[in-house]
Every structure is written in structure tokens, then in C-alpha cells.
Amino acid sequence: MMLALNMSNHSAIEQLGTVTNRILVVEDEESIRELLVLGLEEEGYEVVAVADGHTALTQCQAPVPQPQDFPFDLIILDLMLPKVSGLDLCRFLRSQGNHVPILMVSAKTTETDRVLGLEVGADDYISKPFSMRELVARCRALLRRNRLNIAADTPTIVHFQDITLYPEEYRVSVRGLAVNLSPREFRLLELFMQNPRRVWARAQLLDRVWGIDFIGDQKTVDVHIRWLREKLEIDPSQPQYITTVRGFGYRFG
Ligand code: CA
């Protein structure tokens, strides 16, 4: 068994200032389980280790109000386990719509086992004997990939003073009241709010909001800015949100 534990702890440092990832280790062989716990804790992870599939299931079924409150960020799952097998556990979690990253570990090394593990929804597969360094690298990759997915899935609601923009719902509220924006006005405001204080030339706004194929006048921008001010500003003639930058264009905020 190659279980090198003399790893650098740069990843523990890398994790400082971020939320500690919790890993569930499901492994019936005590020596391997202990080495996994030691190695992962040394890397800065919080580890819960269990020895059979049934206990793992209990850990995973603790009632959580929201899917994102699932208690683990990653599961390291042995394939051959007493009571409930790794395959069954994996299959069960996926059937519940649980997308927690799963790294399957097994002494079996045939391609069939690998394929089966991945088919029931495991994200990656590592066979025993493995090096702790490789296992940690794979864990890190899975966690990173998952973080990126979550970030991509989470709609970013944008606030600026009294204005709130909900990109997913295509909705804007100003001083607590809903305002109706045309698609162009919406896109323009979204761009502004995502880049507060940035100065935009009319040509840049045309490119970003209307697209480079747009054939028309830069006055189009001025017209939309006027409409947007009428909907957002308390006094459109004294704009507080969208200000004109003489000789250049516009700025939000
Ligand atoms: Ca086993």
C-alpha cells in the first residue's frame, strides 16, 4: 500500500480564509480509513469517517432544509462495503438528486468496475493501492470543479443603493417597487450594475448591449439612457445613478 503522508501543507494554507470542506470517508478497512483521515486532515479538510454503507447512509440522510446544506462537500467511497455497497449508496444518492462529488475507491481494478462506478454516478475512480498525494489531488480537483458549477448555477442578484436586479427572474426593483424595462434597457442596466463607476463610451455600450452587428446611430444609446433614467431616477433631469461623462459617454454609480 502506497500511502505517503509526508505531503506539503500548501493546500492547507491555500484554504485559509475560505470555508473548510467536509469530507465523508466510507471505508471498512480500518488501516486505510485511519490513513485517509490523517492525510486529509493534514491537508486542512474536516473529515467524518465511517466503516460501513449503512452508517454512511445515515450520515447522508440527516434532514437538511436545502440541498446546498448537505453536510458534506465530497464523499470518498469504497466500493466493497458491509451492509450497503458503495455502488448502492452512490446510486441512492443520485436517485435523490444529490450531486455531491463522489470519488470511488476500490481494490477491484477491472475496467468493468470502473465503468460501473462511473455509471451509477461517481465522479471519479481511484484503485487501491493509491498514493495519498494522488488521492488528495483528485479530491481537490473534484471540489474545485463543484465550486465552479455551484458558482455558475447561482444567480447573482445585483444591488446598487436602491436598485436591485434579479438576472434570472428578469426583474428590477427600484426603491422597493417593480419597474418594467425593455430587454435592451434591462441588459444596459445589468451591464452598468455589474461594472459600477466604469465609464463607457457609446460605441462600447452599442457593442455590448446591441451587438457588433447593430447598424445604427450612437444616438440610440442616448435614447435608451433617457428612458432608463425616467424609470430609475427620482429626478431624471438631475440623474444620480447614470451620469453623463462629457466628451466620453456614461457612468453608473
Ligand atoms: Ca472494502
Side-chain angles (χ1 to χ4, degrees):
M1 193 91 12
M2 303 149 56
L3 286 157
L5 283 171
N6 55 339
M7 294 159 294
S8 71
N9 61 352
H10 71 273
S11 62
I13 293 161
E14 191 179 282
Q15 289 196 351
L16 284 178
T18 62
V19 178
T20 307
N21 285 302
R22 294 188 88 219
I23 300 180
L24 176 65
V25 169
V26 192
E27 170 62 74
D28 57 322
E29 280 172 69
E30 195 181 352
S31 57
I32 299 178
R33 189 170 65 243
E34 283 174 358
L35 284 168
L36 281 170
V37 172
L38 271 172
L40 292 166
E41 283 182 349
E42 192 166 301
E43 288 292 307
Y45 296 114
E46 201 180 314
V47 185
V48 174
V50 299
D52 67 82
H54 186 258
T55 315
L57 203 55
T58 316
Q59 286 282 342
C60 291
Q61 281 180 315
V64 288
Q66 297 291 328
Q68 64 264 34
D69 295 330
F70 184 71
F72 305 104
D73 300 295
L74 173 76
I75 300 179
I76 297 176
L77 187 59
D78 186 29
L79 191 68
M80 302 293 281
L81 289 166
K83 294 175 187 172
V84 177
S85 79
L87 280 181
D88 285 341
L89 185 68
C90 187
R91 202 179 280 129
F92 172 79
L93 287 171
R94 295 311 187 225
S95 75
Q96 299 292 298
N98 191 318
H99 299 294
V100 62
I102 295 176
L103 173 60
M104 200 76 99
V105 183
S106 178
K108 291 182 158 191
T109 52
T110 68
E111 199 186 38
T112 320
D113 295 314
R114 227 172 251 266
V115 169
L116 198 57
L118 297 174
E119 266 180 1
V120 298
D123 298 276
D124 200 1
Y125 191 106
I126 192 168
S127 42
K128 295 175 186 172
F130 52 84
S131 84
M132 196 63 199
R133 191 185 290 270
E134 185 187 352
L135 181 128
V136 166
R138 286 178 185 232
C139 287
R140 211 178 284 149
L142 285 174
L143 288 164
R144 193 184 311 124
R145 200 196 302 165
N146 196 44
R147 248 194 324 273
L148 292 175
N149 287 343
I150 290 171
D153 285 350
T154 310
T156 318
I157 296 168
V158 202
H159 300 277
F160 186 87
Q161 294 177 8
D162 292 336
I163 305 178
T164 308
L165 183 138
Y166 306 84
E168 296 275 298
E169 299 166 48
Y170 197 66
R171 184 164 71 83
V172 173
S173 76
V174 181
R175 293 174 287 279
L177 298 172
V179 291
N180 284 320
L181 300 183
S182 71
R184 294 278 192 226
E185 290 164 354
F186 188 89
R187 179 69 195 107
L188 195 55
L189 180 62
E190 189 179 24
L191 186 65
F192 277 146
M193 289 182 74
Q194 284 166 346
N195 300 277
R197 311 284 311 154
R198 172 170 171 174
V199 176
W200 297 90
R202 287 171 180 81
Q204 290 175 318
L205 292 173
L206 273 181
D207 277 1
R208 297 288 289 267
V209 177
W210 280 263
I212 46 169
D213 297 334
F214 178 76
I215 302 164
D217 202 81
Q218 294 195 2
K219 291 230 165 27
T220 308
V221 176
D222 299 328
V223 172
H224 279 79
I225 295 283
R226 196 172 73 231
W227 290 338
L228 210 43
R229 279 174 174 161
E230 281 164 9
K231 294 176 180 180
L232 306 177
E233 305 281 355
I234 294 174
D235 179 359
S237 65
Q238 299 285 321
Q240 302 300 307
Y241 294 118
I242 305 169
T243 48
T244 305
V245 182
R246 296 254 170 258
F248 199 73
Y250 296 101
R251 178 173 63 208
F252 181 85

